[in-house]
Amino acid sequence: MSKDHEYFNMAKSYFIDHHLGDNALSQDTLEEVIKFHQSSSWIPLKEVHNINHTTEKSQWVECVLDADIIPKFNQEVYKLNSDEKQQKIGSSEIDFDKGYEMSLETLGRILINSFGRKKAKRYESTDDIYISIPILLVFNNNAVKGLQAGTYVFNETDACLLRIKEWGCENIEAIAHTFSQTRELPSYTAIAYALDMRKATILHGIRGYRHGLFEIGAMKQSLREAIWSLDKEELLVEHCWTDFADNMVTHVCGTNIRLAPITLIQWFGKKQKGEANVS
């Protein structure tokens, strides 16, 4: 592709996104959605951790662990029988081997299988217009061979990574503190999911926020299944996390706090010991 043609495509994309998008956008609705999101985001990291890790909550979790939500009363019970065995899939893990260096080939297989577009993506979105952005986070220069610490956006069309922010060695510790004040980072690689507030609002109005969260849920499951479809000798696992101060993390990742807030982080990497659990 020539430089002139590439520039024309960029200018065309900018015009469609901003000029036509601004005409279709209700600023009042966008502000309402942003205020709603921010009402749950302005929480200091220390308070986020305390909210999610109380003694009472731990006791409650032990009681309801592996228990499904079912009604207390019912009219009839119907037993379901099947000769097929339930397909095994890996459970979420938090014990990562931080000495593991992932190859670009392995990372590429994960990202392409999770978020790549070949006619359609692995996960669905409303109207086939995607409103969430997966951002690769690399916290160590040795985490992925050939990649420097920083944040990257996956270009699904050309199957490449675009670095949007570099993290120097001198500020990695401060950045890690942003993600976890009381615990070490579980892994040196993760995907952060950002929601394009503007596009979501243009498409679905005030319900766009809900559609975006649905899409992020499908994306994190897509990543999980892509990891578990790899050769089992890789022993790669993942773990979703919301124990972070949204705006602080969004800022250090290089996205806009109001228009592209990060709502979920999914750590991934090699399991520390033994074989990965399956359920």
Side-chain angles (χ1 to χ4, degrees):
M1 181 184 295
S2 67
K3 287 291 184 182
D4 290 341
H5 188 61
E6 183 178 350
Y7 177 79
F8 172 78
N9 285 340
M10 290 176 59
K12 179 181 177 182
S13 176
Y14 182 86
F15 173 80
I16 292 173
D17 184 30
H18 290 270
H19 181 71
L20 297 183
D22 286 344
N23 291 335
L25 178 64
S26 167
Q27 289 291 341
D28 290 340
T29 302
L30 177 62
E31 286 299 319
E32 189 174 351
V33 173
I34 290 175
K35 286 180 181 178
F36 172 76
H37 171 76
Q38 290 295 333
S39 67
S40 65
S41 299
W42 287 103
I43 304 174
L45 184 56
K46 185 177 181 180
E47 291 186 25
V48 171
H49 182 80
N50 290 338
I51 289 172
N52 292 325
H53 295 87
T54 62
T55 301
E56 292 78 9
K57 179 181 176 180
S58 299
Q59 293 172 345
W60 176 81
V61 167
E62 290 180 5
C63 293
V64 300
L65 190 64
D66 296 328
D68 295 327
I69 299 173
I70 57 175
K72 295 179 184 294
F73 305 100
N74 58 79
Q75 294 181 329
E76 189 62 76
V77 177
Y78 297 90
K79 183 66 177 177
L80 303 176
N81 297 309
S82 175
D83 294 332
E84 294 185 17
K85 294 182 178 180
Q86 184 177 357
Q87 183 181 3
K88 291 184 177 181
I89 189 168
S91 60
S92 179
E93 302 281 347
I94 196 64
D95 190 14
F96 295 94
D97 179 4
K98 290 195 281 188
Y100 169 69
E101 183 180 48
M102 186 178 296
S103 67
L104 268 178
E105 180 183 2
T106 296
L107 178 64
R109 290 169 62 191
I110 292 172
L111 296 180
I112 291 170
N113 289 336
S114 301
F115 312 121
R117 185 198 298 267
K118 191 175 183 181
K119 292 187 177 178
K121 293 193 178 187
R122 186 170 184 166
Y123 57 94
E124 293 183 352
S125 71
T126 307
D127 301 326
D128 290 330
I129 300 177
Y130 295 89
I131 54 181
S132 303
I133 310 161
I135 301 172
L136 173 67
L137 312 181
V138 180
F139 292 90
N140 188 292
N141 291 334
N142 298 319
V144 180
K145 191 171 184 179
L147 291 187
Q148 299 296 310
T151 63
Y152 301 79
V153 171
F154 174 60
N155 183 337
E156 64 204 31
T157 304
D158 299 328
C160 63
L161 288 171
L162 310 174
R163 189 172 68 196
I164 58 175
K165 192 167 186 179
E166 182 179 2
W167 290 337
C169 296
E170 67 281 357
N171 61 0
I172 286 289
E173 184 176 346
I175 289 169
H177 184 80
T178 301
F179 286 80
S180 177
Q181 186 175 27
T182 57
R183 291 184 290 172
E184 291 185 3
L185 296 178
S187 174
Y188 289 142
T189 50
I191 295 292
Y193 297 98
L195 174 59
D196 188 330
M197 290 288 205
R198 184 172 169 276
K199 184 182 286 186
T201 304
I202 292 174
L203 283 171
H204 309 294
I206 201 164
R207 289 185 177 230
Y209 186 76
R210 183 192 302 179
H211 283 272
L213 297 183
F214 291 159
E215 186 176 303
I216 288 173
M219 293 169 76
K220 69 97 174 174
Q221 183 64 23
S222 181
L223 178 68
R224 186 183 191 205
E225 293 178 0
I227 285 175
W228 279 90
S229 67
L230 295 174
D231 298 333
K232 287 297 177 280
E233 58 264 24
E234 292 276 5
L235 287 180
L236 297 183
V237 291
E238 54 72 43
H239 183 80
C240 288
W241 206 6
T242 59
D243 291 0
F244 58 90
D246 302 45
N247 291 338
M248 293 171 63
V249 166
T250 299
H251 174 71
V252 300
C253 286
T255 61
N256 189 294
I257 292 174
R258 283 169 46 84
L259 298 180
I262 289 171
T263 60
L264 180 71
I265 294 173
Q266 192 170 16
W267 306 98
F268 67 98
K270 186 172 184 178
K271 183 172 170 59
Q272 173 70 358
K273 300 174 183 177
E275 294 186 358
N277 295 332
V278 292
S279 57

